[in-house]
């Protein structure tokens, strides 16, 4: 095992010597003055219109991107082994590599495959291993590959030979008593058409689920460190970013007796100074509100899109009941409502603003023209709301808020 680790060290060291003039960016993220791992990194060359995406990143404190070679080089100190990782090779033949995890403590491991030039071809993403779990990697591509098992505490490397002509890699995990379970597979990552010259202008974006960091612009010059400052619970209107910290879920009941139920979501900045016992408001600030209509009394998880209110009158229901009690059954006894299971956000009742006075008779809300609002975790009025919308004046509005919403029933 030590021999294999030494080979890996020599391999990376030799690459670093050969590529001493390469431009390497060391990218990291911070949230609330603490280091935060990244999900993906996007590098856009706005000079020539090309881009390159590094996704499925492991949980590391930082990420080294070799811009010259368009390669992910891992993290600083990636080859320092903090502890014995506890992996034993069971099989290493052309096309197949199997290793067993022998320790009793569960760990999160990312499996990556590199070609002999150090180019990253595949990443499995984070997988949790238990004692005696076996990682089986199928290398369905011809060539010699370096396979890395990475966790926050160690990196262990293996050299393996591929076999086949599919240009893909599959990771399967099983234990002694279970059949194979495919966790993730992917085709070989392509170089795309990304290119650059010294002096080109780049936009670098870092992504982390549930968080947001403004992109960073720079000109290609020398290797450097780049740190992103992440925030969560925010509202971004074009280039202005606001903090939102409170949510109100208001239920208005059956809308006009048509079997369509009205739910209101208010996402509010702390500047509003709301007394949640009396609902008194003595401040102004950023706010966004979504008026959601559906055929259920509950606000369910899902993706909601904008539409005009007239969509509610899209289905005519006539069940033979004399609803108006005039002694005859005609079209006047029919009910117009939404088809069962449908939902939408009203683009004429929903709005946003960077300086809203909720006590004002006529709020200066700007209405929406389009967009998607994703709601998850809506049990017991705990919501995670993510939105990407366009205002009727062309504003770009994105943001998210996660937390326990205050509830107000105004249906009676």
């Amino acid at each position: 095992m030590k021999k294999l680790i030494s080979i890996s060290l020599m391999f990376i060291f030799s690459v670093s010597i050969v590529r001493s003039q390469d431009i390497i960016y060391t990218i990291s993220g911070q949230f609330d003055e603490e280091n935060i791992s990244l999900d993906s990194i996007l590098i856009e060359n706005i000079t020539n219109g090309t881009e390159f995406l590094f996704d499925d990143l492991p949980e590391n404190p930082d990420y080294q991107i070799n811009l010259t070679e368009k390669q992910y080089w891992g993290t600083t100190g990636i080859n320092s082994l903090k502890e014995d990782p506890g992996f034993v090779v069971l099989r290493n033949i052309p096309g197949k590599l199997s290793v067993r995890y022998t320790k009793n403590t569960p760990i999160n491991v990312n499996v990556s495959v590199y070609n002999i030039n150090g180019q990253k071809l595949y990443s499995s993403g984070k997988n949790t291993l238990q004692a005696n779990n076996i990682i089986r990697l199928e290398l369905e591509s011809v060539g010699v590959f370096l396979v890395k098992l990475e966790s926050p505490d160690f990196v262990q490397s293996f050299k393996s030979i591929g076999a086949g002509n599919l240009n893909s890699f599959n990771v399967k995990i099983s234990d002694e008593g279970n059949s194979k379970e495919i966790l993730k597979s992917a085709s070989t990552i392509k170089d795309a058409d990304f290119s650059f010259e010294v002096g080109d202008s780049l936009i670098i974006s870092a992504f982390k689920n549930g968080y947001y960091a403004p992109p960073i612009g720079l000109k290609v010059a020398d290797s450097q460190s780049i740190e992103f400052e992440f925030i969560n619970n925010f509202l971004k209107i074009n280039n202005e970013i606001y903090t939102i910290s409170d949510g109100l879920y208001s239920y208005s009941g059956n809308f006009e007796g048509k079997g369509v139920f009205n739910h209101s979501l208010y996402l509010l900045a702390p500047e509003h100074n709301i007394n949640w016992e009396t609902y008194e408001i003595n401040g102004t600030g950023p706010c966004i509100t979504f008026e959601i209509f559906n055929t259920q009394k509950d606000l369910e998880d899902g993706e909601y899109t904008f539409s005009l209110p007239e969509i509610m009158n899209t289905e005519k229901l006539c069940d033979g009941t004399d609803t108006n009690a005039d002694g005859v059954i005609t079209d006047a006894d029919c009910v117009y409502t939404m088809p069962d299971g449908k939902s939408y956000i009203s683009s004429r009742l929903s709005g946003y603003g960077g300086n809203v006075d909720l006590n004002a008779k006529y709020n200066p809300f700007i209405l929406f023209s389009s967009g998607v609002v994703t709601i998850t975790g809506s049990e017991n009025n705990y919501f995670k709301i993510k939105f990407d919308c366009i205002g009727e004046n062309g504003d770009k509005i994105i943001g998210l808020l996660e937390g326990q919403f205050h509830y107000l029933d105004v249906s009676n």
Side-chain angles (χ1 to χ4, degrees):
M1 191 62 62
K2 291 182 178 179
K3 185 176 180 181
L4 289 173
I5 296 173
S6 298
I7 292 173
S8 173
L9 285 165
M10 291 173 61
F11 174 79
I12 297 298
F13 183 66
S14 64
V15 170
S16 66
I17 293 175
V18 173
R19 304 295 182 186
S20 59
Q21 300 304 312
D22 288 359
I23 293 177
I24 299 173
Y25 294 145
T26 302
I27 299 174
S28 61
Q30 291 280 320
F31 172 71
D32 198 20
E33 299 183 353
E34 298 287 338
N35 185 263
I36 188 172
S37 63
L38 305 179
D39 295 334
S40 59
I41 297 169
L42 175 65
I43 300 178
E44 302 170 88
N45 188 333
I46 59 176
T47 300
N48 62 19
T50 62
E51 63 182 35
F52 201 83
L53 175 67
F54 299 86
D55 59 359
D56 288 326
L57 295 173
E59 294 184 9
N60 284 331
D62 55 43
Y63 304 85
Q64 289 192 314
I65 303 296
N66 186 317
L67 193 69
T68 305
E69 294 302 310
K70 296 179 286 187
Q71 296 170 10
Y72 166 57
W73 271 25
T75 185
T76 54
I78 190 171
N79 295 291
S80 59
L81 199 60
K82 298 181 181 178
E83 61 177 54
D84 177 17
F87 283 103
V88 176
V89 177
L90 300 180
R91 181 169 61 169
N92 192 353
I93 62 175
K96 296 183 184 295
L97 171 67
S98 299
V99 294
R100 175 186 282 131
Y101 177 58
T102 60
K103 290 196 171 182
N104 293 322
T105 305
I107 58 171
N108 293 321
V109 172
N110 176 58
V111 182
S112 301
V113 180
Y114 297 78
N115 63 19
I116 198 65
N117 296 320
Q119 179 189 13
K120 185 178 181 181
L121 304 178
Y122 170 78
S123 174
S124 71
K126 182 175 67 177
N127 299 307
T128 301
L129 295 183
Q130 307 291 337
N132 291 320
N133 277 175
I134 299 173
I135 299 176
R136 293 182 169 88
L137 175 62
E138 297 179 355
L139 300 101
E140 298 174 338
S141 182
V142 176
V144 178
F145 302 97
L146 186 69
V147 178
K148 288 187 179 180
L149 308 182
E150 303 176 61
S151 86
D153 294 319
F154 70 84
V155 175
Q156 191 163 3
S157 302
F158 308 91
K159 185 175 288 186
S160 192
I161 299 175
N165 56 5
L166 298 181
N167 289 327
S168 65
F169 307 91
N170 299 318
V171 170
K172 304 173 184 179
I173 291 182
S174 66
D175 58 33
E176 298 291 61
N178 286 330
S179 59
K180 296 178 181 178
E181 179 184 359
I182 297 177
L183 296 184
K184 194 168 187 180
S185 62
S187 298
T188 302
I189 298 174
K190 303 298 184 185
D191 276 349
D193 59 350
F194 179 81
S195 62
F196 74 92
E197 294 181 359
V198 172
D200 283 357
S201 296
L202 303 183
I203 299 261
I204 302 180
S205 304
F207 302 95
K208 174 75 174 179
N209 185 36
Y211 299 84
Y212 170 79
I216 293 176
L218 55 84
K219 287 188 179 295
V220 179
D222 301 314
S223 298
Q224 60 178 289
S225 296
I226 302 169
E227 185 175 88
F228 287 87
E229 292 289 339
F230 281 86
I231 59 174
N232 64 355
N233 294 342
F234 72 96
L235 164 64
K236 183 172 184 282
I237 303 175
N238 296 322
N239 293 322
E240 293 293 327
I241 300 176
Y242 308 96
T243 297
I244 49 177
S245 57
D246 287 306
L248 171 64
Y249 170 35
S250 175
Y251 173 63
S252 302
N254 197 339
F255 186 77
E256 296 183 355
K258 295 181 178 180
V260 179
F261 298 94
N262 182 197
H263 310 266
S264 302
L265 292 173
Y266 292 86
L267 285 61
L268 304 158
E271 291 88 339
H272 289 285
N273 298 320
I274 300 175
N275 183 327
W276 291 108
E277 293 184 359
T278 62
Y279 287 93
E280 294 179 349
I281 305 170
N282 60 10
T284 63
C287 177
I288 188 166
T289 177
F290 299 118
E291 293 289 331
I292 300 178
F293 295 85
N294 63 8
T295 58
Q296 307 293 328
K297 293 184 177 180
D298 296 320
L299 186 57
E300 299 176 308
D301 289 359
E303 288 191 352
Y304 295 82
T305 55
F306 288 87
S307 181
L308 294 173
E310 287 73 19
I311 196 174
M312 288 188 296
N313 300 330
T314 57
E315 189 170 277
K316 181 178 179 182
L317 302 178
C318 305
D319 60 4
T321 302
D322 185 10
T323 54
N324 60 9
D326 63 355
V328 295
I329 298 175
T330 64
D331 279 356
D333 297 298
C334 298
V335 176
Y336 293 84
T337 186
M338 289 172 63
D340 187 44
K342 298 294 183 181
S343 60
Y344 77 101
I345 302 178
S346 170
S347 60
R348 289 294 171 263
L349 297 176
S350 304
Y352 64 95
N355 189 30
V356 177
D357 181 1
L358 294 176
N359 290 316
K361 185 176 181 180
Y362 298 104
N363 285 316
F365 278 114
I366 302 172
L367 302 178
F368 293 97
S369 65
S370 61
V372 176
V373 178
T374 305
I375 299 176
T376 56
S378 56
E379 208 169 306
N380 299 319
N381 300 326
Y382 187 95
F383 295 99
K384 180 177 180 180
I385 300 176
K386 184 178 180 181
F387 47 93
D388 188 344
C389 310
I390 301 294
E392 65 176 1
N393 62 353
D395 283 343
K396 174 72 172 176
I397 308 104
I398 64 172
L400 60 89
L401 176 62
E402 180 175 8
Q404 190 73 39
F405 274 51
H406 301 273
Y407 179 71
L408 183 63
D409 188 342
V410 294
S411 61
N412 296 321

